[in-house]
Amino acid sequence: MSFVRRAATVLAAATALTAGLALPALAHVSINPGTAEQGGFTKVAFRVPNERDNASTTKVQVSFPTDHPLAFVSVKPVPGWDVKVTEGKLPKPVKTEYGDLEEAVTTVVWSGGKINPGEFQEFEVSMGQLPKDVDSLTFPTKQTYSGGEVVDWADAPKSDGTEAEHPAPTLKLVPASGGDEHSAASAPASAAPAAATGPSVAPVAASSASSSDGTARLLGGAGLVVGVIGVVVGALGLRRRTA
């Protein structure tokens, strides 16, 4: 019986380890992919998981940077959700290759839909031109639940390198692989007019690659649990034959 109890303890520890490996990839509001080239245009998805067992997510509000504003922002419609793109006056004009930018998108709000417990939703945005003089942009996000709870994903990274309780979705910016001319050329043809007239709502291509990391972790964790179970069963059979 003591051997069985020890085996059960090992199995429980393996299960806890599996959960620890799988959940971080799904537990927080994140931006995918997490990197983009400086000076270019990109399409990202804000991935919002529901962390509650007794409530649904009914509203998602993403704040855009005003210290490094984006001249072009468009959103992909999400079935069942309403979207509102809000522009605001910047603290001071920002020079861009399209001219001085005095107003820019400050928030994008999705509402009217529902993310049920155990589910997640991705909200896609096309944006640019990304700044060339910073290495990251943060997008503080508020997640509202059907019970009235609001979770503010706006914590900055901790000084010791550990993850904050409610980290803000962050897009890391890396140097352009083809130089400034390549980055400018990669902009969509409609980017320049959109910068002058404000954000537009237009479909962009969907991407499934960003969800592969969470799936791989879940499959790897499941394999770990199955392996431990096999070891325990084999050990029990050997012990019986020895007796």
Side-chain angles (χ1 to χ4, degrees):
M1 291 299 295
S2 61
F3 177 78
V4 173
R5 283 195 295 270
R6 287 196 297 271
T9 301
V10 172
L11 181 59
T15 302
L17 176 61
T18 301
L21 290 173
L23 290 179
L26 301 175
H28 299 328
V29 173
S30 59
I31 187 169
N32 298 280
T35 60
E37 290 188 354
Q38 294 172 330
F41 288 73
T42 189
K43 178 184 76 68
V44 299
F46 292 93
R47 181 181 296 171
V48 183
N50 191 340
E51 294 187 317
R52 301 294 180 263
D53 296 329
N54 57 354
S56 299
T57 296
T58 57
K59 181 180 177 182
V60 176
Q61 176 179 311
V62 178
S63 296
F64 281 64
T66 55
D67 52 347
H68 297 284
L70 301 172
F72 175 85
V73 175
S74 63
V75 298
K76 180 179 180 180
V78 180
W81 292 79
D82 299 321
V83 61
K84 180 180 180 181
V85 180
T86 300
E87 282 191 350
K89 192 172 182 63
L90 300 175
K92 60 179 181 180
V94 176
K95 291 186 178 298
T96 72
E97 61 184 70
Y98 304 118
D100 289 346
L101 190 64
E102 298 183 353
E103 293 187 351
V105 171
T106 55
T107 60
V108 178
V109 179
W110 290 269
S111 61
K114 184 166 61 175
I115 308 174
N116 294 316
E119 299 178 351
F120 73 93
Q121 178 65 57
E122 289 188 335
F123 302 92
E124 293 182 312
V125 177
S126 176
M127 58 189 182
Q129 185 177 12
L130 300 174
K132 303 177 182 179
D133 56 348
V134 295
D135 57 10
S136 66
L137 293 175
T138 58
F139 298 82
T141 301
K142 292 183 178 180
Q143 181 179 10
T144 302
Y145 287 93
S146 55
E149 178 188 9
V150 178
V151 180
D152 196 359
W153 301 94
D155 293 348
K158 293 184 177 180
S159 58
D160 59 3
T162 60
E163 188 177 61
E165 182 178 2
H166 297 101
T170 300
L171 178 65
K172 294 182 180 180
L173 302 180
V174 298
S177 57
D180 293 345
E181 293 182 1
H182 173 78
S183 298
S186 65
S190 60
T197 60
S200 61
V201 177
V204 294
S207 172
S208 60
S210 61
S211 63
S212 60
D213 180 64
T215 302
R217 293 192 183 206
L218 289 173
L219 292 176
L224 177 61
V225 171
V226 172
V228 172
I229 292 175
V231 171
V232 172
V233 172
L236 286 174
L238 178 62
R239 186 177 182 85
R240 288 173 182 171
R241 287 195 295 271
T242 303

